[in-house]
Amino acid sequence: MSAEQQPQVSEAQIAVHWREEQYYQPPASFIAQANAADPAILERFGEEHFPECFTEYANLLDWDAGWHTTLDTSNPPFWKWFVGGRLNACYNCVDRHLATSSNKAALIWVPEPETEDTKAVTYQELYRRVNEFAALLRDFAGLRTGDRVTFHLPMVPELPVAMLACARLGVIHSEVFGGFSGAACGDRIADSGSRILVTMDGYYRNGDLVDHKTKADEAVERAAALGQQVDKVLVWRRHPDRYASASQMVEGRDFFVDELLANYRGAVVEPVSMPAEAPLFLMYTSGTTGRPKGCQHSTGGYLSYVAGTSKYYQDIHPEDTYWCAADIGWITGHSYIVYGPLALGTTSVMYEGVPTYPDPGRPWRIAERLGVNIFHTAPTTIRMLRKLGPDEPGKYYHRFKHMTTVGEPIEPEVWRWYHDTVGKGEAVIVDTWWQTENGGFLGATLPALQPMKPGSCGLGVYPVIYDENGDEVPAGSGKAGNICIRNPWPGIFQTVWGQPDRFVQIYYEKYCRDKDSSDWRDWPYFAGDGAVQAADGYFRILGRVDDVINVAGHRLGTKELESASLTVDEIAEAAAVPVIDELRGRAVEMYVALKPGLAPSDDIARKVTAAIEHEIGKIARPANVWIVPDMPKTRSGKIMRRVIAGISNFTDVGDVSTLANPEIVDDIRHHIQAAKLARGQVPRELSPEEAEEIKAFGHAE
Ligand code: WTA
């Protein structure tokens, strides 16, 4: 391997990465059974066959009517796929498997308490439950094709049942991650215009039965304050014989789903034949401004894309037992727990709780007992399992043929533990880079055809790196740039719900060559991640280039964190920055300045943490809240996040001479670094990429 393949920022960096980048070849046993083992597939999906090559994905589905146009670019960059085609996503994930697989498990659900039985939901039972719930949504909740409905559901089979019931009716679902707060859920209800909220009374997490219904009350209140009335709250019960929440059921608004379902026993709802371009669901994500973005995904393009990538990149065969340990509340769960695997008629495992509960052997016990052969998780989970139970995988007889990693860059050292210890050296690893907006994998290797390289997401679907001027950064140049996607692909989101201008502005404006052009070549997709490409073509993702903090694989917008802090009366100004965190990749650190005349106190810092937990959820809980006398600011009054990010990470804060108040920098640096050392938060040396990321933080401002 030549030095050109390394991201050439400094000598030290080359030294650090030299050893890390050796190839790992897939085992012969994997190649022998792989769905994509014939190199002809690389040729079939070559750019000269674009866009028709993607009909291969669409042909994995059953269509009610064929499409007349594979890719319609007439209204750029609102691409339309498989135009003229009609299909139903629920039919494709459920009904069509009944003839051959009615008695096969579609879902295997593992409750968190080990004393509770694992439940298999066969395709027949899924069909039954989806039909009954669809009848309830239509007849009791009054939902019609095109309406939106918000779910705030944990990892229970009722969530895929509810998603598929919506898909059956052509109702657009919007699942909000169960760990998000009631307020965050309320914001998303209002943004999507949902009149119906589907929730659950409680669920198990880390050994506790968490009260979840209380969040629904807050969500409804928040939505009302934003002008959106919620008519009905449909409440599933975790244990149908007892209500797990302290919150009162509101007469005429709140209903127990298990009670209502008695009226729909045996109901059959015909799947509604939907245009390929009809929206299937919304998935909210964070961006550079406070308002969350409802990424709108299509029915035909999306389902084709997740079916195709599940088959070829995940190597899912109908007879596999596949476990994606993500939460369905994120895009990974939508695409690779529910829609992709079920479209292929496989068995998808769902786990309710925390992977390390009650001990870090839990995932391997589940895998051993259920015979899981494809395992899919995020670096943050891998790091945690490695830290808490480095030898645990060796104690179990699980055997994986394939393992996936998603959500953040994985350190080569962690990758090797995943490969050697979790996979016992027998499994291929596919590092999949993509985003909520993308529907499915963009950067990944085809595991039987392309060797693995720790820390690199490999090749993928038409990626390219551009510099700030829009010039292509060639492979092997050692220079980092912005990773973009040249060609549209069927899984791309259709728009930001209710904010089409933001859709264009955030993802396409930066590199658009001609706004009047309807040639997709003039509209590269800007992903907002930095990357370098080695001479062999492999991409290495360096992280976000905007003000989004990736905590444990989840994107948190700095603006959301800051506006949550500003809900505390005493706070005048707030800034969120990332700190490098061994387990979670990045953690959030908040800097706040108080209104005049107020004295700093631990109590105020605690209020800020509580406000963030209330507005967003525990996942966003800051590692530290620092009360500072003033923020470093530009002369135009903008907070310089890169400067405070440098302080928090003990790195160089860069040039501060242009600040309006340069003297404040040394003052806060001294105070905060001393406090961090006193708290035992001793920094480790950052890798050159990490240091670069911190230095670039806030660059978008
Ligand atoms: C990051 C999750 C490196 C990236 C599917 C992206 C990754 C953001 C990887 C999207 C990976 C995701 N390697 N970085 N394999 N996968 N990312 O929307 O910064 O929750 O932009 O989608 O996560 O996060 P999102």
Side-chain angles (χ1 to χ4, degrees), residues 332 407-409 431-436 529 541 544 550 555:
T332 297
E408 8 155 20
D431 185 342
T432 60
W433 168 77
W434 60 297
Q435 313 172 296
T436 305
D529 279 337
I541 305 295
R544 305 285 312 162
N550 187 331
R555 285 155 66 181

